[in-house]
Amino acid sequence: NSKQLGNRRENPMDMDMDVMAAALSTCSCSGLRRTVRAVTGHFDQAFEPIGLKCSQVTVLMAAAVHGPASVRTLAEVVVLDPSSMSRALDPLEREGLIVREVGQSRRNRKISLTEAGQAKLAAAAPLWQQAQAEFNAILGGDNIQVFNEILQRTGQIVEDAA
């Protein structure tokens, strides 16, 4: 017994469909997710020639800068929870790009780049530089600065409010 409202159906639980439709277009979280997908797609495309995703390049960069490092340390650097970081490391380990060095316990294992990982990261560097330059050009000089400032401020404000 739901009656049609344009392309939307009236919700049998009496939820206001107009409010929900408006929320889909004005929700900050949804908007941020759309932006993240678009930006990630841009960088993923840049790394296609070397067979990596931008998230994997980020993990390799973190391992290069902070390694040998624990999973927890790398997770903090790239803002993932440790279990997600551990899963992100699995394909990199299978491809021989990182090694999990045995520590005092499983929790104390240190992640390091292998020679293959260093070579892959060296191949990624100019691709990242090109993708970043293209992204900067797409947004424009003033906009890229504002974009980065808004990202940083928003993250800090939300973290401080939590």
Side-chain angles (χ1 to χ4, degrees), residues 43-160:
F43 283 89
D44 280 348
Q45 186 176 15
F47 296 123
E48 281 180 3
I50 60 169
L52 292 177
K53 301 284 188 189
C54 68
S55 58
Q56 294 173 309
V57 172
T58 301
V59 171
L60 291 177
M61 287 179 186
V65 171
H66 297 279
S70 68
V71 171
R72 179 171 301 284
T73 297
L74 293 179
E76 288 172 3
V77 169
V78 300
V79 194
L80 284 176
D81 62 87
S83 63
S84 295
M85 174 55 74
S86 188
R87 286 190 303 276
L89 292 169
D90 290 342
L92 298 174
E93 186 175 32
R94 281 193 302 274
E95 292 176 31
L97 304 178
I98 59 124
V99 63
R100 298 179 205 225
E101 299 170 3
V102 178
Q104 294 174 349
S105 72
R106 264 180 78 89
R107 290 180 185 256
N108 290 335
R109 290 176 137 184
K110 299 292 183 190
I111 310 304
S112 297
L113 288 182
T114 62
E115 285 186 28
Q118 292 171 6
K120 189 71 87 163
L121 194 52
L127 299 175
W128 173 80
Q129 288 173 319
Q130 176 71 29
Q132 186 65 52
E134 290 170 358
F135 185 70
N136 291 356
I138 290 167
L139 284 186
D142 292 340
N143 289 334
I144 193 68
Q145 185 176 350
V146 170
F147 177 77
N148 288 330
E149 288 172 3
I150 289 172
L151 286 176
Q152 186 175 7
R153 277 194 313 222
T154 301
Q156 190 62 56
I157 290 167
V158 173
E159 285 177 11
D160 290 349

